[in-house]
Amino acid sequence: MGADATPLLLGERVPGQAVLEELMALQSRVPPRNWLQRVFGASPLRPETITWYKGALGEIAVGQILEGLGPEWLVLHAVPVGTGSADIDHVLVGPAGVFTLNTKNHSGQPVWVAGRALLVAGKRTRHLLCSAHEAARAAKLLSTAAGFPVEVTGVVVIVNPKKLTIKSRPERVAVVREARLLAWLRQLQPVLGTEQVAQIAQAAVRPGTWCRQPPATTDLPALQRSFTALRLLVDQARRRQAAWALGVPAIGLVMLANSAQWGAAILQGLGGP
């Protein structure tokens, strides 16, 4: 790989890429639905793939939001870290600083935050701890690559919660719902000059900054087509389930009405009232 191609590699990764790769690998081992399951709207997802599917939707949604940042920002997605399968959902470098975003799709669930605690539907999570660790790791790696200290802020982005309640500011990281993410970033005061942003961005786009082994090449168009097809099947199944939920009571009412009419006709034929 030429020196000029290396910096483009991480910049070309798409939102949720690592999650999409894992999701589609797992989904490829799920047996196809039979005709009866399709008729009644059984989901093509299985328990082991639902979490990955929701995670992909969340990262894609946040990635689309981040497209609204100006050209002075570098935005990276699914940045591989270390020697395993770990990755950082999004890395931002701009005048307001450097941020690692940990996206959590908790659609329709209440989220409560205070100090060191983040609860989803009343259950404690490790989101704050993981986000703080992620930011500290990124700060160390970027500082080494850039040649000067780089501060990184960890951010937990909550996607489409039923309600987000922040009783007190969490320690060491920020918590923002996705609908407020751009506004939150834009209201931050500049802390980096143009030259600093450029130097950190130059380090951030290099795969070697984050991991020793460059990420494997992926056929992104094929991956995205596969996910689009899966998403279509999931949406179709949900619509079919909704149609059955609405249709079954209606069919029941028609049958009751018909039964009442038939009963009246029989009584009349027998000389009843």
Side-chain angles (χ1 to χ4, degrees):
M1 182 180 296
D4 58 340
T6 301
L8 297 177
L9 185 57
L10 292 186
E12 290 178 342
R13 289 176 69 83
V14 299
Q17 181 169 330
V19 178
L20 288 172
E21 290 170 351
E22 183 66 25
L23 167 64
M24 298 316 300
L26 289 171
Q27 193 65 30
S28 68
R29 299 194 287 270
V30 174
R33 296 169 298 165
N34 58 42
W35 71 270
L36 193 60
Q37 290 173 321
R38 294 195 298 271
V39 166
F40 285 99
S43 175
L45 300 172
R46 292 295 180 269
E48 65 272 22
T49 60
I50 290 174
T51 300
W52 293 98
Y53 180 78
K54 288 185 63 177
L57 292 180
E59 291 190 38
I60 290 170
V62 172
Q64 291 172 340
I65 290 169
L66 293 174
E67 291 176 2
L69 288 174
E72 66 273 16
W73 286 84
L74 169 71
V75 180
L76 301 175
H77 306 291
V79 176
V81 183
T83 57
S85 59
D87 77 306
I88 301 173
D89 295 344
H90 314 277
V91 174
L92 312 181
V93 181
V98 183
F99 304 86
T100 54
L101 273 55
N102 191 351
T103 297
K104 296 299 179 184
N105 187 353
H106 293 304
S107 299
Q109 296 178 295
V111 178
W112 185 91
V113 182
R116 298 182 180 181
L118 189 153
L119 279 64
V120 177
K123 296 182 179 179
R124 186 180 290 267
T125 71
R126 292 175 54 84
H127 296 347
L128 299 181
L129 181 63
C130 291
S131 184
H133 172 74
E134 194 171 73
R137 188 180 192 182
K140 182 178 180 180
L141 294 172
L142 287 171
S143 296
T144 300
F148 57 87
V150 177
E151 293 187 9
V152 179
T153 301
V155 184
V156 180
V157 183
I158 307 296
V159 176
N160 196 30
K162 180 179 181 180
K163 184 180 182 181
L164 174 59
T165 302
I166 301 181
K167 299 294 289 185
S168 62
R169 178 173 293 184
E171 298 180 8
R172 300 166 61 191
V173 303
V175 178
V176 185
R177 65 184 304 158
E178 93 288 358
R180 289 280 305 154
L181 180 58
L182 278 188
W184 180 78
L185 288 168
R186 287 169 176 163
Q187 58 87 32
L188 297 175
Q189 295 297 315
V191 295
L192 297 175
T194 303
E195 185 175 344
Q196 288 176 302
V197 171
Q199 289 176 320
I200 298 171
Q202 187 176 21
V205 296
R206 294 198 299 266
T209 295
W210 306 96
C211 55
R212 295 181 181 178
Q213 185 67 31
T217 303
T218 299
D219 186 345
L220 284 178
L223 180 66
Q224 291 173 311
R225 284 195 301 269
S226 297
F227 179 71
T228 298
L230 176 62
R231 191 170 183 176
L232 179 62
L233 292 177
V234 172
D235 291 343
Q236 287 175 342
R238 287 175 178 167
R239 287 196 298 269
R240 189 153 292 179
Q241 289 175 8
W244 277 106
L246 293 173
V248 169
I251 292 171
L253 288 174
V254 170
M255 292 178 66
L256 286 173
N258 288 339
S259 297
Q261 292 173 359
W262 295 336
I266 291 171
L267 286 173
Q268 187 175 13
L270 293 173

